[in-house]
Every structure is written in C-alpha cells, then in structure tokens.
Amino acid sequence: MLKNLNPQQLAAVKHFGSPLLIVAGAGSGKTKFLTHKIAYIIDQKLTAPQHILAITFTNKAASEMKNRVQELLGEQCTEFPFISTFHSFCAYVLRKDFQSLNRPNNFIIYDSYEQQKLIKNILKNMDISKTSYTYNFVLAKISEFKNKLISYQDYATLPSNHILYDQVLAQIYEKYQQGLISNNAIDFDDMLFYTVVLFQRNPLVLAKYQTQFKYLLIDEYQDTNHAQYNLAKLLASQHQNIYVVGDFDQNIYSWRGANVQNILNFEKDYAQAKVLYLEQNYRSTKTILKAANGLIKHNQQRKEKKLWTENAEGEPLVFYKTKDEKQEAEYIAQKILSLKEKSEYQDIAVLYRTNAQSRVLEEILASQKIPYKLMGGFSFYSRSEVKDIMAYLRLIYNQADNQAFIRALSKPSRGVGQTSITKLLNQSQATNLSIYELIKQNKTNLATKQTQSLKSFATLIFELEQYYQTLTEDKIGKLVKSLLKKSGYQQMLEIENTPISLDRLENIKEIISITKNENLELGDFLNNIALISEIDNTVNLDNAVTLMTMHNAKGLEYKIVFIAGMEEGLLPHYRSKNIPEALEEERRLCYVSLTRAKEQLFLTAVDDRLIFGELWKRPTSCFLDEIPQDTLLIMEEEKSYSGHPHSIVYKSKEKFKNNQAFDHDFNVGDKVKHKIWGEGIIHNLEGIAEKSIAHIRFNGESKKLMLKYAAVTKV
DNA sequence: TGTAAACCGGTTTTT
DNA sequence: CCGGTTTACA
Ligand SMILES: Nc1ncnc2c1ncn2[C@@H]1O[C@H](COP(=O)(O)OP(=O)(O)OP(=O)(O)O)[C@@H](O)[C@H]1O
C-alpha cells in the first residue's frame, strides 16, 4: 500500500503521537500523503474508519479523496471515513446539535441570492439603499465579522474607535441576524460560526465529536480562516491527532478571510508539532516548474522553499496574443483540435480569472463541436428556472415556506401581483399562519379573481404533495415531471419557444437526472442544495475539456492547461493592483494556475476586451515578464508585435475607446482630503480607469466622486 | 391591480 | 451584457 511513496511521505504516514504539518510546494504529493495516511490508519486498525475526519477544500476534492482511499483499501473497506469540506462537516454537526444553542436542527441554508435579498430589504427599510452601504459591501463586512467569530452582540459593544466598528453596520448586522433567525435560516459563514460557538459553549457536545473523530486531517491548510482554525483546534485539543498539509504559496482565499498565519504558526499552536517538507515535484516538467518557481520568487512576503523534479525538460510555455476575446477563444479551440491527435479532451483544462470569461469560450467550443464541461461557479442552482422549480419543491416539502410560495405562485403568472402578495405577507405575519394556511382556511381578504387563483394554486400544491407520498422510487424526478405539466410551467416555456426557453427546459430536466441515481428524499435534497454547488452541470460528459476559474483549479492537475486572459486588469485583477498584499495573492493565483499543468501550458491575452459592451485596451500581464523568458515561447500573430509584451502598438484603424488613459492609485481604506468636504475615508472603489468612482465617507456623509475630476488628495 | 417594457447599476475569486 | 427594479400602461 505504501510502495509508491517517497521516504519523506513514508515517514509522515508512519508518524503518530504528535501533530504533524507538511509544508510543500505544488505537485509534491501532499494530497497523496493524506490519502495514504487515512488508508494506513484504517489498514493498521488504529481506529475504525468512521472515527477519521478528513477536511478538503471543495466537495469535489472530498469525493475524489474518498475514491482514492477506497482504491487503496480495496475490499476491506466497509465503513467509511468522514471526508468533507469544513462547511459540510458543520452542516452535519448543526443538523444534530444546533438545538443545544436553542435553534432548530431543521434550519435552511441561505445561498448568496437569498442573503442578498434579505440585506437589500433591510437597507431599503432603513432607507439607506442609496448610500455608501451597498449590499455587497455590507455582506462582505458581515462575512468578515463572522469569520473572525464576532457575533452581532459582540460587534455592537466594540468601542466606537475600534477599526472594525461602524454604528450603521452594527444595526444592519443585528437586523440581518434576526432576519435569518426568523426564517429559521443560517448562511455559509454561520455554519462555521455556530459550530465553533457550539463547541465553545457546550463541552459535552464538543467531547462527543472529539470521541467520534479521533483523527483529524486537513488539506490546503494555508487557506483556512480564523473560524476554521478554531474549529480544528477545538476538535484536536484532546487527542492531538491532527495532520495538516499546505503551501503558503498557494494561499489564494485571503479575500474570504483565509489567514496564512494559521500555517506559519502551526508549530506555536501545537507545541509538540513535527514539521516535514516535501521538495520533489512529481507533476510537471522541468520547464513548467522553472516558470512557476521563477514567477513566485517575485513575491516579497514569502519564505523561500525548494521544489525540483526529475521529470523531462518538456516543451516551453506558449504565449499567444490575439485581437479580442473571440479570437482568443478561437485560437484555444483550434489548438485543442490539433492537440486532439495526441491527447484526449479530458486531459485539457482552460483556466480563467473571472466567470464572465467562460461565455465566449463556451460559445466557440460549442461551435467547433468540442465537448466541454463547466466546473463550479454559481452555476446551476442559481439559474432562475432552477430556482423556480426549487421553489415548487420547497413548497411541496414545507407549505409554511412563504418565500417559496410567492416565487412558485408567480411563475407562470397567475394574476396575483405585488399588492395582493404584500397583503398576504402582512396577514401571515400578523396571524402567525402561513400564506398556504390562510388560503386553506378561507381567511384571505382579496378580490374574487385573486382568491380563486390562489385557491387553485393551493390545491395544485396539495395534489402534488399527495402524489409525492405515493411514489416509491425516483421520487423527485417523477414529482418534477408532474409539476412541470400541472403547474403550466412547461407550457409557459413551450409557448415562448425561444432558444433560451428551450435551454431552460433542458436545465430543469437536469434536476431530474441529478436526483435520479440516488434515491433521494425531498427533504435531504433540499437541505443540502446550498452545499452542492459544484455539480458539473453537463450530463456525464466523460471525455470533455474542462473550463473553470483559476480558484476552482486548486488541487487539480491536467496534462495540458490553457490560461486565458493574461492581461493587466484581469490577472492581476484591477481591484488588486494597487494593494501590495492583494497583488502578491494574484501572483500566487498565477503560480497555482501554472502548476496545474503536467506537460504543456498555453497562455493567451487580447489587445481589446469587451467589458459591459465596451472595448477596453489591455496591456499584457506583468506576470508574463516575471516568468523566466527562456521557458517562454512568444508566438507572433502580426508584425505589429515586436517581441516585448508591453511594446505592443495598436495599429488597427477601428474605433475604440482608449479607456486606460486615466489612472489613479487610491485604495479602499485610504484617508483623503477634499477642498470642500474636508477629510474622509474611501470605503469603496468602482469602475476602472477614467470611470473610477470613489465612495468617500466625510464626517458622516458619504459621496460618490469621479476620481478623474474630483479634487481629492491622499493624506 | 398585474404585467410588459424601459431603465439602471454592477464585475474578481466561493463554501 | 444581464438581471433586478422601477415605471407606464392596460
Ligand atoms: N511519491 C510519489 N511518487 C510518484 N508520484 C507521486 C508521488 N507523490 C505524488 N505523486 C504524484 O504527483 C502528483 C501530485 O500529487 P498531489 O496532488 O498529491 O500533490 P499536492 O502536493 O497535493 O499538489 P498541490 O499542492 O498542487 O495540490 C499526483 O499525480 C501524484 O500521483
């Protein structure tokens, strides 16, 4: 079982009795160590499989790890270790023990869309929707507080000169939490937050989980946040059987509260800790590794570490610049087709910085008949048609769910509009009865037309619920099929009969096929949806090119990797470029992307990119200059390209806006001075180049100023 | 009162 | 460009 490990990995697998940290670069076999360690613990019968808890970064990584462990153990595996993300683990704990914090165990998990709706509502009611407290800003702040384990009560009592404190935020935070509580909901950050609180406040519950999970293993430890760090510490505090791996150069989630100090301080936190290093990379060619190592050296805030390989020299990285993103996608498609002679589609991945980039890639790949699968993103479950169907399912499962009632009711429209809905909601709140109950008990107070419509809708839901009860297998699939017909939803799409509506119908059918294999109950399905965001929404395409964001590529490997959009503004992203720490994170992100490749790397960039329907001129990414030039082959498209990425001269006579003429170096958090309003603080920046707008709070009052014209200076 | 059509505002990255 | 929200009209 341990044959394929090198001496360091072997030593690590056999190490017991004290905490262990492995720090090592990309592709050095950290994840491989974890899977073998789990298998070894089981094989040696040190404990039963179900007493092992392994934490991965994504659900996909978790299921991959499960498969690996199973392969290693073969037949002898009857019970399984608990392998999941922090969030899924917390959901598991809270479904069992949330009641110990006086909250029901059958909470629902709000996704970001529902969070947004709640916040928007609060801002509207407080009459501050048009101020600097944008919902994005507020949500990011609340997330930050929760990750730092600051409850809204704690927050409210912070001294008013505390850096984090803001009186308005304190109010919003409280209202937001109360909103969640009254809907019996928690958000993603709450999962971690409440689990930590539960363990801290309730030693008995903690002890139960400490006994249940005698071994704790964590992948990607460099990207744990404060709450996750505390969770691990609590779980391991008795037995100290904690084994973590990570790479500080792959810390790419600090914007979400991930704190690289957690890995740097591991030895301080666990006094007996042993630290091991892996230095041999088994994944990539010498050229790829040289390129990646050369790039990451440019980070100042970094410990040096070795990473070498015995693999072949390999091909140079290829850089190709095109006129626009369409041609970029065409180049990638064409390259994929020519690579197809030697490689399979499944060996190829295309990475990009922002989800918005995937659109063009999808279109062009589809037009060239290249099969692809889109991984991750807020893809599937946030599409409006999927949400509509989910609303029906939620309502069938729980008729008291007013939110679901309203959404289902208005798709397709049933002649009941905003006014009636508001009345119903108010009545529901006043009487403590759900809208569904009100209708059933004839307690509504509306015009006949609306009442009739509501009645038949309620009957529809009742009948569907009855139908569901009679089913025995493939229950959700059959239910969805039936509701599509009876609700008129399918008819609505068929009448529209546009390509888009047909697409929507396809997506809904996807729900049917997702739920098919496992004989899922409605409740289990609905409860876990927020957690399974990463379903590949393409139907079991085995041999297909993978499209995903760079963040999603973490931990994965492909024979051939394309990196699209190697441009200033995209990588590094314009929001990061004036903040040194953020810029270094962008560089790490580039490092992660490069090191996904085993054999070949293609980097592309464009001259002009269409953003919000406007053409923007784009310089090539500074990171391209930082990659050792002898690993890089720059393909020339036209003679206008003179060899150095920054010396490109745009020769076309086409009209375009030269949008990069103006620039600034203000950042969020900067103190600034204005002629009229005096001193203020920038709390948000939007737009780019000449359209940059700063949101500045002057002495209580907030202003949005265009930096190109505004007379503000840094102080 | 409900719905369709204009309108406005927002782009990192995700569990 | 897209989706959520406001507005104008039936
Ligand atoms: N001792 C070994 N001998 C041969 N191949 C190995 C060895 N260790 C790991 N590998 C291979 O190297 C590749 C990278 O391993 P793994 O994914 O475990 O690295 P990692 O350190 O987790 O990488 P990353 O930090 O990029 O996620 C895998 O294909 C793995 O099978």
Side-chain angles (χ1 to χ4, degrees):
Chain A
M1 178 191 288
L2 305 180
K3 274 205 302 283
N4 296 320
L5 299 178
N6 67 30
Q8 292 81 1
Q9 287 171 321
L10 195 63
V13 167
K14 295 202 165 163
H15 170 87
F16 287 101
S18 76
L20 172 71
L21 162 68
I22 293 187
V23 183
S28 56
K30 297 184 293 293
T31 308
K32 182 162 182 169
F33 150 74
L34 283 179
T35 53
H36 282 74
K37 182 111 193 168
I38 296 170
Y40 187 73
I41 293 171
I42 296 171
D43 187 59
Q44 297 292 304
K45 304 206 164 31
L46 295 173
T47 192
Q50 65 273 26
H51 290 316
I52 301 170
L53 174 61
I55 301 290
T56 60
F57 201 75
T58 61
N59 288 314
K60 188 178 158 64
S63 70
E64 216 145 89
M65 189 174 281
K66 278 179 209 160
N67 290 337
R68 287 287 121 73
V69 172
Q70 216 167 344
E71 279 166 26
L72 285 171
L73 289 169
E75 297 298 293
Q76 62 165 304
C77 203
T78 48
E79 297 285 340
F80 288 95
F82 197 110
I83 303 179
S84 81
T85 61
F86 270 112
H87 288 87
S88 298
F89 170 73
C90 291
Y92 167 84
V93 171
L94 294 175
R95 291 254 178 252
K96 292 200 151 158
D97 287 300
F98 206 14
Q99 67 212 5
S100 300
L101 290 177
N102 290 323
R103 293 279 304 265
N105 289 353
N106 67 349
F107 54 85
I108 52 178
I109 301 166
Y110 264 20
D111 62 18
S112 47
Y113 178 82
E114 289 160 312
Q115 285 183 291
Q116 248 180 48
K117 272 180 81 166
L118 180 54
I119 281 290
K120 280 183 182 169
N121 218 312
I122 291 167
L123 297 178
K124 210 166 154 189
N125 288 335
M126 290 174 69
D127 208 26
I128 52 172
S129 12
K130 296 245 156 59
T131 69
S132 59
Y133 295 92
T134 63
Y135 64 92
N136 280 330
F137 169 75
V138 171
L139 277 170
K141 280 309 204 185
I142 291 178
S143 171
E144 181 188 339
F145 303 150
K146 288 181 180 176
N147 287 156
K148 291 186 170 152
L149 298 175
I150 304 170
S151 68
Y152 76 87
Q153 296 96 334
D154 292 345
Y155 187 77
T157 58
L158 287 178
S160 60
N161 60 356
H162 193 279
I163 342 166
L164 287 176
Y165 186 77
D166 177 298
Q167 196 205 330
V168 181
L169 280 178
Q171 282 178 45
I172 303 172
Y173 190 9
E174 175 170 3
K175 285 186 205 285
Y176 175 71
Q177 282 315 105
Q178 284 167 348
L180 286 171
I181 291 169
S182 68
N183 286 316
N184 189 21
I186 64 174
D187 66 20
F188 280 107
D189 300 311
D190 279 338
M191 289 199 237
L192 303 171
F193 176 86
Y194 283 126
T195 307
V196 173
V197 171
L198 175 68
F199 286 173
Q200 284 171 344
R201 292 222 192 122
N202 205 320
L204 285 177
V205 174
L206 174 60
K208 183 170 98 182
Y209 288 98
Q210 285 170 337
T211 321
Q212 182 175 351
F213 298 111
K214 301 182 196 311
Y215 290 87
L216 176 58
L217 302 95
I218 306 175
D219 202 358
E220 311 279 8
Y221 194 71
Q222 78 281 353
D223 274 322
T224 50
N225 65 32
H226 184 67
Q228 293 166 332
Y229 158 84
N230 276 283
L231 200 55
K233 214 167 169 186
L234 284 161
L235 282 169
S237 63
Q238 290 303 314
H239 53 59
Q240 298 274 307
N241 295 324
I242 176 170
Y243 313 116
V244 309
V245 306
D247 174 6
F248 40 80
D249 288 328
Q250 295 189 63
N251 168 236
I252 54 173
Y253 280 90
S254 68
W255 51 273
R256 197 175 92 179
N259 186 355
V260 75
Q261 291 304 321
N262 292 344
I263 195 165
L264 300 174
N265 289 340
F266 190 82
E267 287 170 89
K268 287 193 198 124
D269 293 321
Y270 299 92
Q272 306 298 315
K274 184 174 171 107
V275 183
L276 287 172
Y277 301 90
L278 305 176
E279 293 176 345
Q280 182 172 2
N281 169 298
Y282 293 94
R283 179 182 294 145
S284 311
T285 63
K286 285 199 175 69
T287 307
I288 290 171
L289 213 57
K290 185 172 177 190
N293 282 337
L295 172 77
I296 201 65
K297 271 206 169 60
H298 286 81
N299 270 1
Q300 307 293 314
Q301 297 299 112
R302 167 174 188 268
K303 275 205 222 166
E304 185 58 38
K305 70 175 161 10
K306 280 209 192 92
L307 193 61
W308 54 275
T309 184
E310 281 177 351
N311 291 345
E313 205 65 45
E315 303 288 316
L317 285 64
V318 172
F319 173 73
Y320 193 82
K321 184 158 187 164
T322 59
K323 195 177 142 323
D324 57 29
E325 67 276 355
K326 225 172 145 179
Q327 288 187 13
E328 178 185 45
E330 273 159 8
Y331 168 75
I332 292 172
Q334 187 203 345
K335 209 76 219 172
I336 290 173
L337 287 174
S338 69
L339 289 164
K340 176 67 176 143
E341 289 171 12
K342 282 198 205 141
S343 308
E344 294 295 326
Y345 288 132
Q346 65 201 6
D347 296 328
I348 303 173
V350 185
L351 311 184
Y352 38 81
R353 178 68 226 274
T354 64
N355 285 301
Q357 288 169 262
S358 73
R359 241 187 114 79
V360 188
L361 289 166
E362 285 187 75
E363 274 166 23
I364 303 289
L365 291 187
S367 77
Q368 306 274 345
K369 307 234 171 349
I370 298 172
Y372 67 86
K373 51 184 162 188
L374 195 75
M375 245 193 58
F378 354 50
S379 50
F380 190 64
Y381 289 105
S382 52
R383 298 183 186 210
S384 67
E385 65 274 20
V386 178
K387 281 193 162 299
D388 291 341
I389 299 305
M390 289 300 165
Y392 277 96
L393 295 180
R394 276 165 57 193
L395 184 58
I396 292 164
Y397 175 66
N398 171 15
Q399 287 85 37
D401 190 337
N402 281 352
Q403 302 277 331
F405 187 102
I406 292 164
R407 178 151 196 149
L409 176 71
S410 39
K411 280 280 184 105
S413 49
R414 292 184 170 83
V416 182
Q418 198 49 59
T419 325
S420 311
I421 286 171
T422 312
K423 277 189 193 160
L424 286 168
L425 268 176
N426 288 338
Q427 198 184 350
S428 169
Q429 256 185 347
T431 57
N432 235 345
L433 289 172
S434 66
I435 298 181
Y436 182 85
E437 267 311 307
L438 288 173
I439 294 161
K440 264 197 116 175
Q441 300 180 16
N442 283 320
K443 288 191 173 151
T444 59
N445 196 8
L446 298 165
T448 8
K449 183 178 149 233
Q450 277 77 23
T451 313
Q452 274 311 314
S453 182
L454 285 165
K455 277 215 166 289
S456 63
F457 179 68
T459 313
L460 169 73
I461 298 303
F462 177 76
E463 284 170 3
L464 287 169
E465 209 265 331
Q466 295 291 305
Y467 174 63
Y468 178 71
Q469 298 298 342
T470 65
L471 296 171
T472 51
E473 60 171 18
D474 188 19
K475 300 169 81 167
I476 298 175
K478 285 178 180 157
L479 179 63
V480 171
K481 276 184 210 155
S482 171
L483 87 79
L484 272 177
K485 289 222 173 61
K486 292 193 174 160
S487 65
Y489 200 98
Q490 184 162 4
Q491 200 186 17
M492 171 185 81
L493 291 177
E494 280 166 358
I495 290 171
E496 280 174 25
N497 195 25
T498 61
I500 296 169
S501 47
L502 294 178
D503 227 39
R504 303 213 144 143
L505 215 47
E506 281 307 307
N507 284 329
I508 294 168
K509 294 205 174 121
E510 190 58 24
I511 301 178
I512 300 173
S513 68
I514 286 170
T515 52
K516 194 155 219 146
N517 301 330
E518 309 141 66
N519 207 351
L520 267 178
E521 288 293 332
L522 200 45
D524 295 332
F525 178 56
L526 294 172
N527 279 337
N528 291 313
I529 282 188
L531 289 169
I532 355 168
S533 63
E534 312 139 53
I535 295 224
D536 350 1
N537 54 36
T538 22
V539 204
N540 299 330
L541 273 180
D542 285 333
N543 194 6
V545 175
T546 306
L547 306 185
M548 65 188 148
T549 62
M550 298 173 173
H551 283 88
N552 261 319
K554 189 182 175 84
L556 305 177
E557 59 185 22
Y558 293 87
K559 187 169 155 193
I560 298 153
V561 171
F562 288 83
I563 302 178
M566 286 291 295
E567 299 144 34
E568 289 292 305
L570 220 40
L571 184 73
H573 197 271
Y574 75 93
R575 305 279 291 233
S576 304
K577 91 173 203 217
N578 292 328
I579 309 162
E581 303 85 64
L583 185 67
E584 299 217 334
E585 180 149 322
E586 297 285 318
R587 196 177 278 112
R588 291 194 292 272
L589 188 56
C590 188
Y591 171 80
V592 168
S593 305
L594 295 174
T595 54
R596 297 310 94 197
K598 293 195 219 173
E599 292 181 12
Q600 244 188 318
L601 268 168
F602 294 92
L603 315 181
T604 59
V606 306
D607 280 325
D608 303 299
R609 189 173 288 275
L610 205 57
I611 295 167
F612 282 144
E614 273 183 282
L615 269 187
W616 295 77
K617 197 149 174 51
R618 322 277 298 176
T620 308
S621 171
C622 58
F623 297 151
L624 205 72
D625 295 338
E626 298 175 0
I627 293 174
Q629 296 297 301
D630 57 344
T631 64
L632 197 58
L633 182 65
I634 296 178
M635 302 293 284
E636 301 199 11
E637 185 198 9
E638 295 170 314
K639 47 187 178 312
S640 69
Y641 188 67
S642 66
H644 192 269
H646 284 177
S647 58
I648 291 167
V649 187
Y650 193 87
K651 286 192 171 167
S652 158
K653 290 205 179 76
E654 241 180 280
K655 276 189 206 160
F656 67 91
K657 296 190 181 166
N658 191 351
N659 278 325
Q660 58 158 333
F662 172 82
D663 212 346
H664 68 83
D665 62 350
F666 289 102
N667 291 307
V668 172
D670 282 355
K671 279 200 178 133
V672 294
K673 194 168 185 160
H674 185 274
K675 262 199 249 166
I676 298 160
W677 294 299
E679 287 200 0
I681 233 174
I682 299 185
H683 66 91
N684 198 12
L685 283 170
E686 61 182 350
I688 41 180
E690 65 183 1
K691 288 185 173 173
S692 306
I693 294 170
H695 299 219
I696 307 174
R697 194 148 43 238
F698 298 101
N699 205 3
E701 196 181 6
S702 189
K703 302 271 175 205
K704 291 188 190 180
L705 299 177
M706 291 206 63
L707 283 171
K708 192 175 179 188
Y709 307 111
V712 286
T713 47
K714 281 200 202 187
V715 288

